[in-house]
Amino acid sequence: MQRTACVTDSVACRTHLYAGDGDMQRMGDFENNCENDFQKKYRYSSGNASDNPRGAGRKRCLSPEQLEQIRQARTEGRTITELAKEYGISRQTLSGYLNTCQEDENVIRLPGKWARLNREFVSDHLERYSMRMEYMCAEELCTVILINFRDREILIRNLTMDVIHRAFGIIEKPDWTDFEELLEDRCFPKTRFQLHLVLSDLGLDFYDPLAIIEKTQGRMAEDQQWIRIWYFQPEQNGNILAE
C-alpha cells in the first residue's frame, strides 16, 4: 500500500512506503530547495545480504596454479579485463599479480649471474646494460639485445642465419633509432581504435611501446615472434653479493 503527497511550489513528488517489507526503500527528507529525491542513489543488499555493501575486506587470492593458467591465457591473447572477471578479482589486483610474477622470475641481482646469462657478450662491460631482450621465433632464440638506457646504446648477437627471424633483419649494427622502431613494430599502433581502453586493459596510463611489450611480450597475430625480457637490478648499497 502506498500514498503520494504533492509538494507545494514544486513539480516534484515523493513516495512513502510503509515499513514491514524487507526490501523497503527509504527516501530522504525533501530539502527546502526542492531537490529531486529521485536523483539520489540507493543501496541494495545482494542476494546473500551483507553488512559490507562496498565489498570491502580481504581480497581474493590466486593460487599458483590459477596464476599459471592466467599467464598462459595472456599469451593466447586474453585481456586483463576478461581474466579479472573470470577469476573474480579486479583488473588492478590481477595486474599486480602479473607484475610481481615477472619481477620474481626475470630480475637478476647478482653480477655473476648476469654475466653468465649474457655469455654471448663476454668481452663487453655488461654492468652498463640493465635489460636483456631475447627475440624469439616460437621457441628458437634468434637475437639477443642488451640495452643501456642511460647512454641509449644497444648490443646485439644474432643466433640465426635466417635474416627474416632476426630482430633487425639485415642490419648488423643497429642504433638506438633502430631499437625504437623495433619496439613500435612489436606492439599495436598509437592510432588504434579506442586506444585508451586497450591501455586500460594492460594497466597502463599512456602509450609506451616498451611498457606495452613488457605486458604483451611483443606478440602479434601475424607471426610467431615474441620477446622475453630480463632485468639487471644489482644492489645499490655497496655490499658485495654472494653468488
Side-chain angles (χ1 to χ4, degrees):
M1 178 179 181
Q2 65 181 27
R3 60 188 177 86
T4 303
C6 294
V7 180
T8 306
D9 298 327
S10 172
V11 296
C13 294
R14 56 177 172 170
T15 302
H16 300 271
L17 303 178
Y18 286 131
D21 189 341
D23 294 325
M24 181 184 71
Q25 303 177 18
R26 295 184 177 181
M27 304 294 294
D29 293 331
F30 200 79
E31 301 295 338
N32 291 332
N33 62 358
C34 295
E35 176 186 7
N36 190 343
D37 290 323
F38 292 105
Q39 294 178 354
K40 294 183 178 180
K41 297 180 180 179
Y42 304 100
R43 294 180 179 178
Y44 294 89
S45 298
S46 62
N48 56 353
S50 170
D51 292 331
N52 184 15
R54 295 185 296 108
R58 186 175 181 179
K59 295 179 174 60
R60 181 181 177 183
C61 296
L62 293 175
S63 68
E65 293 77 14
Q66 289 176 318
L67 185 54
E68 182 59 31
Q69 293 171 359
I70 290 173
R71 293 178 62 197
Q72 179 60 36
R74 289 287 293 141
T75 65
E76 295 172 356
R78 299 283 303 281
T79 67
I80 293 289
T81 299
E82 292 173 341
L83 293 170
K85 183 177 181 180
E86 179 177 333
Y87 286 85
I89 60 178
S90 69
R91 293 184 304 178
Q92 292 79 5
T93 300
L94 180 53
S95 295
Y97 268 108
L98 296 177
N99 289 341
T100 299
C101 182
Q102 178 192 66
E103 179 176 345
D104 290 342
E105 293 186 356
N106 293 5
V107 172
I108 306 298
R109 300 197 181 278
L110 302 179
K113 186 174 181 180
W114 183 245
R116 290 191 294 274
L117 177 64
N118 295 288
R119 53 188 174 274
E120 301 93 345
F121 307 89
V122 175
S123 61
D124 297 293
H125 299 286
L126 301 179
E127 69 280 359
R128 298 172 54 208
Y129 300 87
S130 60
M131 179 179 288
R132 170 189 170 102
M133 285 187 172
E134 297 177 348
Y135 191 80
M136 311 287 293
C137 179
E139 297 305 316
E140 178 188 4
L141 176 56
C142 300
T143 302
V144 178
I145 310 168
L146 288 186
I147 303 102
N148 177 351
F149 290 97
R150 184 185 61 185
D151 300 322
R152 297 168 66 88
E153 296 177 351
I154 64 171
L155 292 175
I156 75 163
R157 291 291 185 273
N158 290 314
L159 304 179
T160 178
M161 298 297 294
D162 188 348
V163 295
I164 296 178
H165 291 162
R166 292 178 178 180
F168 300 96
I170 62 174
I171 301 176
E172 295 290 343
K173 294 183 178 180
D175 57 19
W176 192 258
T177 299
D178 296 319
F179 174 64
E180 291 181 324
E181 290 177 355
L182 172 67
L183 297 181
E184 293 178 1
D185 286 342
R186 299 311 304 178
C187 63
F188 49 82
K190 195 172 184 178
T191 56
R192 180 164 178 172
F193 178 66
Q194 293 188 329
L195 176 66
H196 65 290
L197 296 179
V198 180
L199 293 175
S200 178
D201 283 345
L202 295 175
L204 300 176
D205 297 324
F206 58 94
Y207 184 85
D208 181 344
L210 177 57
I212 293 171
I213 290 174
E214 287 179 305
K215 300 284 187 178
T216 66
Q217 297 184 317
R219 295 181 183 270
M220 308 290 284
E222 297 83 7
D223 56 43
Q224 298 185 70
Q225 273 68 44
W226 60 284
I227 297 173
R228 179 164 52 211
I229 299 179
W230 300 84
Y231 306 86
F232 181 44
Q233 297 179 4
E235 295 292 338
Q236 301 296 325
N237 57 9
N239 294 333
I240 299 177
L241 298 176
E243 297 184 13

